[in-house]
Amino acid sequence: MQRKQVGNPHKIGVNKRYEAAVISISSSRFMKYGSVKTPEEAEDVSGRIIIDLLENAGHKLHHYTLLSDEGRSITQAVKAQVNAVNVVITTGGTGLAPRDVTIEAVQQILQKEIPGFGELFRSISYEQIGSSAMLTRASSGIIENTAIFCLPGSPNAVTLAMEALILPELQHVLLHVSEH
């Protein structure tokens, strides 16, 4: 008699390693540092956290960039990474200020949204920071074979999203993205 595997089937087996792009969005930082190739060159704590957590999980950074809060630049930067990497993670520009345009720039090119990501992120953020969690518009979706995650710019928010949601489910998300 065959034994059934216990647990979530997407959690069983060898973990795959993925290539990632990290896009930090900050007009003030971009004005001060311009185009840079590493988070250290722009004092980008959140970008460094994302990269460190990805690499500690065995994934590889393919590309890092710093951009101003400009919709066209954000859209172009994300599109340039689609199919070059498995996952694009943006940080910054998810708030309510007029300059926060990351969500608008990315949503217009998403083929599918993953609404549960934003919902769960706000829920677990609420446990840490209270009702101000509703001010983030963090979101996620898919473009072709690439997962996109749009995170706030806060180092604490980035750490929470990466550790609680993205890294535990990245393989599962990408498994579904690659189904034909």
Side-chain angles (χ1 to χ4, degrees):
M1 178 184 228
Q2 270 186 310
R3 292 181 78 188
K4 283 189 168 186
Q5 290 183 330
V6 180
N8 292 333
H10 68 275
K11 302 279 187 187
I12 297 170
V14 177
N15 287 330
K16 290 192 175 186
R17 305 300 177 217
Y18 299 106
E19 296 226 354
V22 175
I23 302 171
S24 286
I25 299 149
S26 169
S27 291
S28 59
R29 197 171 288 127
F30 187 80
M31 285 177 51
K32 184 174 181 180
Y33 299 103
S35 184
V36 297
K37 298 203 184 295
T38 68
E40 290 75 20
E41 294 176 77
E43 300 178 41
D44 179 8
V45 175
S46 293
R48 174 46 54 202
I49 290 169
I50 295 168
I51 293 167
D52 287 346
L53 290 170
L54 284 166
E55 290 177 343
N56 289 341
H59 306 298
K60 183 179 180 207
L61 178 68
H62 175 80
H63 180 77
Y64 168 85
T65 192
L66 172 67
L67 299 176
S68 184
D69 286 291
E70 296 172 9
R72 183 176 296 171
S73 297
I74 296 166
T75 301
Q76 288 173 346
V78 170
K79 279 182 169 180
Q81 297 305 313
V82 169
N83 294 325
V85 297
N86 305 104
V87 59
V88 175
I89 302 173
T90 71
T91 177
T94 65
L96 300 178
R99 70 182 179 280
D100 293 328
V101 297
T102 300
I103 301 306
E104 290 78 10
V106 174
Q107 279 185 337
Q108 69 181 336
I109 58 174
L110 289 179
Q111 291 171 324
K112 290 188 179 204
E113 276 190 75
I114 305 173
F117 172 78
E119 294 163 2
L120 280 171
F121 178 74
R122 283 180 284 281
S123 176
I124 62 176
S125 294
Y126 178 79
E127 294 171 14
Q128 290 189 353
I129 63 171
S131 60
S132 63
M134 74 174 146
L135 302 179
T136 184
R137 298 179 302 136
S139 69
S140 179
I142 303 300
I143 305 171
E144 297 181 28
N145 292 320
T146 304
I148 315 294
F149 294 94
C150 300
L151 308 181
S154 154
N156 289 340
V158 162
T159 302
L160 180 65
M162 292 294 295
E163 290 178 344
L165 299 173
I166 296 172
L167 291 174
E169 290 301 323
L170 185 59
Q171 183 171 342
H172 190 202
V173 169
L174 294 173
L175 174 70
H176 287 290
V177 168
S178 66
E179 288 179 351
H180 295 284

